[in-house]
Amino acid sequence: AVIVIASSVLLRNEKKMPAIINILDEYSYDIYLVHGIIFEALTLIKPRLPFPPLVMAVFFFLSITGVTVIGACLMHKICSLIVRRLGR
C-alpha cells in the first residue's frame, strides 16, 4: 500500500502509471488477506527447521513472498469468479 501511495504521489503528473503499480493496486487486498495466514503457517514450522539464522531469514523471505504472491493470485481469481457469478 505504501508503494502504491508513494508512487502515485511521485508520478501524479504522469499520464500512465507503471504496470507494477497497477498490479499492486489490483492485488493489494488479496495480498493483505493472504500474508497473515502464510506468515503464521511458516512461524509454526520454523522450530522444526535446522538451518542457520541467515539461511532461515532468506528462506522465510522467499517463502513468504512467493507463497503470498501465489495465494493472492488464487484468491483474486476465486473472488472474481464468485463476484461474476453473483452479478449474473
Side-chain angles (χ1 to χ4, degrees), residues 42 54-68:
L42 288 173
L54 181 60
V55 174
M56 287 296 287
V58 171
F59 170 75
F60 268 79
F61 174 76
L62 294 176
S63 297
I64 289 172
T65 304
V67 176
T68 299

Side-chain angles (χ1 to χ4, degrees), residues 54-86:
L54 181 60
V55 174
M56 287 296 287
V58 171
F59 170 75
F60 268 79
F61 174 76
L62 294 176
S63 297
I64 289 172
T65 304
V67 176
T68 299
V69 167
I70 292 168
C73 290
L74 290 173
M75 177 73 78
H76 185 77
K77 187 72 168 175
I78 291 167
C79 290
S80 66
L81 287 174
I82 292 171
V83 168
R84 276 192 232 142
R85 287 186 182 160
L86 291 174

Side-chain angles (χ1 to χ4, degrees), residues 6 11 14 17 22 30 32 34-35 43 47 56 69-70 77:
L11 299 171
E14 298 291 324
M17 294 290 282
N22 291 331
D30 302 302
Y32 167 74
V34 171
H35 87 278
T43 302
M56 287 296 287
V69 167
I70 292 168
K77 187 72 168 175

Side-chain angles (χ1 to χ4, degrees), residues 10-71:
L10 292 172
L11 299 171
R12 65 179 171 245
N13 295 329
E14 298 291 324
K15 294 190 180 199
K16 291 184 178 180
M17 294 290 282
I20 188 72
I21 301 303
N22 291 331
I23 292 169
L24 284 173
D25 181 41
E26 185 173 343
Y27 287 88
S28 64
Y29 187 67
D30 302 302
I31 292 169
Y32 167 74
L33 291 175
V34 171
H35 87 278
I37 297 167
I38 303 302
F39 188 77
E40 283 299 318
L42 288 173
T43 302
L44 291 174
I45 66 167
K46 180 182 177 183
R48 295 183 177 104
L49 299 174
F51 298 120
L54 181 60
V55 174
M56 287 296 287
V58 171
F59 170 75
F60 268 79
F61 174 76
L62 294 176
S63 297
I64 289 172
T65 304
V67 176
T68 299
V69 167
I70 292 168

